[in-house]
């Protein structure tokens, strides 16, 4: 199992700025219901990849480059006081002969557990991206690309990570 390292300060700041403006704001003017298949085919709208977690009662929309390139492992977890983690791992092509590694994780905390976790000394665990009721949703990104530079796996891993923090098509989380 892959373990996410705490984020470094500059990456955390950049991620917080992007996610604060994108993930916590309203959806763009073009909503899913307004986009037709013809719009997507014509390239005038992006087709986001949607993941729905019954266990975590959350939906996540990923940028198009994520489609078919990740595996999901929701599980109970007590890391830093969380109650659940949804682990999103890179799904490499079988011909590349590399293991799936964590791209990002969404940890779900109670409000009280998050206050304690956020106040602990040391590097940040992640960035709070949403809350609903007593649930706090925290995003943790992989600390680095685990694949050999110049390989197809490394290239796709980088594309997927950059797409998540790109202000144009960021990850969108919707508590249910």
């Amino acid at each position: 199992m892959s373990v996410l390292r705490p984020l470094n300060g500059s990456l955390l700041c950049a991620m917080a700025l992007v996610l604060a403006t994108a993930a916590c704001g309203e959806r763009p003017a073009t909503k899913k219901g307004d986009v037709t298949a013809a719009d997507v085919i014509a390239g005038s709208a992006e087709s986001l990849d949607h993941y729905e977690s019954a266990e975590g009662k959350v939906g996540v929309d990923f940028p198009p480059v994520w489609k078919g390139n990740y595996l999901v492992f929701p599980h109970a977890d007590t890391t830093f006081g969380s109650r659940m983690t949804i682990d999103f791992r890179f799904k490499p092509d079988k011909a590349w002969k590399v293991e799936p590694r964590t791209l990002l994780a969404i940890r779900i905390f109670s409000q009280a557990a998050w206050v304690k976790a956020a106040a602990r000394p040391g590097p940040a665990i992640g960035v709070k991206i949403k809350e609903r009721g007593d649930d706090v949703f925290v995003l943790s990104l992989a600390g680095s690309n685990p694949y050999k530079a110049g390989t197809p796996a490394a290239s796709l891993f980088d594309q997927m990570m950059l797409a998540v923090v790109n202000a144009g098509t960021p990850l969108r989380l919707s508590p249910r």
Side-chain angles (χ1 to χ4, degrees):
M1 173 183 278
S2 177
V3 176
L4 292 177
R5 294 181 295 226
L7 301 172
N8 72 33
S10 60
L11 177 60
L12 182 61
C13 289
M15 187 175 72
L17 288 173
V18 169
L19 292 173
T21 60
C24 294
E26 293 189 25
R27 288 192 181 262
T30 304
K31 294 183 174 66
K32 277 187 179 179
D34 299 338
V35 177
T36 67
D39 293 331
V40 173
I41 292 168
S44 61
E46 291 192 15
S47 175
L48 299 176
D49 192 55
H50 185 75
Y51 168 75
E52 191 76 30
S53 169
E55 304 88 354
K57 297 182 181 163
V58 65
V60 183
D61 290 320
F62 290 101
V65 70
W66 279 64
K67 191 167 186 75
N69 293 317
Y70 66 96
L71 304 166
V72 183
F73 298 92
H75 55 90
D77 183 27
T78 58
T79 304
F80 305 113
S82 65
R83 67 172 174 80
M84 178 178 186
T85 295
I86 305 170
D87 187 13
F88 295 89
R89 296 183 193 169
F90 178 72
K91 180 183 174 185
D93 185 296
K94 291 182 185 194
W96 298 341
K97 298 183 181 174
V98 295
E99 294 294 317
R101 299 285 185 218
T102 299
L103 289 152
L104 63 86
I106 297 172
R107 287 193 170 85
I108 304 170
F109 292 84
S110 68
Q111 291 281 352
W114 174 243
V115 168
K116 286 181 186 175
R120 79 183 215 344
I125 297 162
V127 175
K128 178 171 105 173
I129 55 175
K130 288 281 184 168
E131 59 182 88
R132 182 179 178 122
D134 192 42
D135 291 333
V136 176
F137 299 88
V138 175
L139 175 68
S140 299
L141 296 175
S144 63
N145 188 328
Y147 302 107
K148 185 177 178 182
T151 63
S155 176
L156 183 55
F157 188 95
D158 284 344
Q159 288 175 33
M160 292 172 72
M161 292 301 293
L162 288 171
V164 167
V165 297
N166 178 352
T169 56
L171 167 135
R172 296 183 188 134
L173 184 131
S174 304
R176 306 285 185 227

